[in-house]
Amino acid sequence: MLTATVTDFMADVASYLARVEQGEQVCLTNHGQIKARIVPDRPVVRASLERAEALRAEISHGSTEDDWSAADYLHAGRRES
């Protein structure tokens, strides 16, 4: 994770964005406090969506990798809450 002040970021936006495109996270600070995070969005979102879609397909066919039913997932979620 790379940290930069807002001033430094604005002075070299292209360089910071190039690093984000390579998978690095950039935290922007102002007066020593993190005010924003710039993260590579597409690979993370794509992977999450693909996994969610795979789980949806498995559940709709009545089985998952671990053979849990939808009711099992709901029950497990309630216990963790």
Side-chain angles (χ1 to χ4, degrees), residues 42-55:
R42 291 185 181 148
V44 173
V45 170
R46 187 177 306 121
S48 295
L49 289 174
E50 288 171 358
R51 180 65 181 138
E53 187 64 29
L55 281 173

Side-chain angles (χ1 to χ4, degrees), residues 24-59:
E24 194 165 352
Q25 180 183 58
V26 177
C27 292
L28 300 180
T29 63
N30 192 19
H31 300 291
Q33 295 182 334
I34 295 175
K35 299 297 182 178
R37 295 179 198 274
I38 302 174
V39 297
D41 190 39
R42 291 185 181 148
V44 173
V45 170
R46 187 177 306 121
S48 295
L49 289 174
E50 288 171 358
R51 180 65 181 138
E53 187 64 29
L55 281 173
R56 185 176 70 80
E58 289 176 19
I59 290 170

